[in-house]
Amino acid sequence: MENPSWLFVIATAIAVVGIVIIFKQLISRVHEQGEKFESKKELASFLMKLAMVEGIPIVMIAFGMMQIMETTGIDYVIPLILIFCFLLFGLIQIFLTRQQVNNDPRTPEQVKRLVSGYSILGAAFASAFPIISIALIFMTQEFQTL
């Protein structure tokens, strides 16, 4: 592949969409089970699913990093825009999910606090791959100027 930036875009898309889906599943279980929610068990399940989803993007990022030194004259504007779009998509979806639970009058305060904590965790995971991809694209540009 001539432009490793597209590998970073695809890796970001897979990671962010996968994390959003897994996060929404976790929050729906928290909301359904309410105070009977087993936090440690469900968090462990969430992290295992997260590790499975992030496997392919990690390999793609590593493969793209190997190709950075071999690139010349690539366009990076469109990949950067797409990565920012995926970052915004992930963050918006996570915080909209949190708002849906918090706006439900039947939701207990303990569940609202738990969902808010998980939202911060989900936002951190969803923004990790876009940040890494953006940094690697800028690194690609630096190697081109050398």
Side-chain angles (χ1 to χ4, degrees):
M1 178 173 266
E2 236 178 77
N3 188 349
S5 299
W6 290 107
L7 281 174
F8 303 143
V9 171
I10 295 168
T12 298
I14 292 170
V16 170
V17 171
I19 290 168
V20 166
I21 290 170
I22 293 169
F23 175 78
K24 285 184 175 245
Q25 291 172 349
L26 174 69
I27 297 304
S28 70
R29 282 194 302 275
V30 170
H31 195 215
E32 288 171 5
Q33 295 176 6
E35 309 231 349
K36 295 181 257 175
F37 181 73
E38 296 180 32
S39 182
K40 290 181 183 178
K41 178 184 167 190
E42 292 294 334
L43 186 59
S45 172
F46 170 72
L47 293 174
M48 288 299 291
K49 289 178 184 176
L50 196 68
M52 287 188 284
V53 164
E54 290 183 351
I56 292 173
I58 288 172
V59 170
M60 293 175 79
I61 294 256
F63 187 66
M65 287 174 66
M66 290 187 297
Q67 293 182 347
I68 284 177
M69 297 292 277
E70 302 166 8
T71 59
T72 56
I74 63 167
D75 182 30
Y76 63 92
V77 175
I78 295 172
L80 277 176
I81 291 170
L82 290 173
I83 290 171
F84 276 117
C85 289
F86 280 112
L87 174 63
L88 285 174
F89 167 78
L91 294 176
I92 288 170
Q93 288 298 312
I94 287 169
F95 288 110
L96 283 177
T97 303
R98 187 189 86 193
Q99 281 303 109
Q100 288 175 343
V101 173
N102 286 342
N103 290 339
D104 187 0
R106 297 171 290 155
T107 305
E109 285 301 315
Q110 179 183 0
V111 172
K112 288 181 181 180
R113 284 192 302 272
L114 192 60
V115 167
S116 292
Y118 285 153
S119 296
I120 293 169
L121 186 65
F125 281 122
S127 63
F129 271 93
I131 290 171
I132 291 168
S133 296
I134 290 167
L136 288 172
I137 288 174
F138 283 123
M139 195 166 96
T140 303
Q141 293 306 309
E142 286 300 315
F143 280 120
Q144 285 184 6
T145 58
L146 293 178

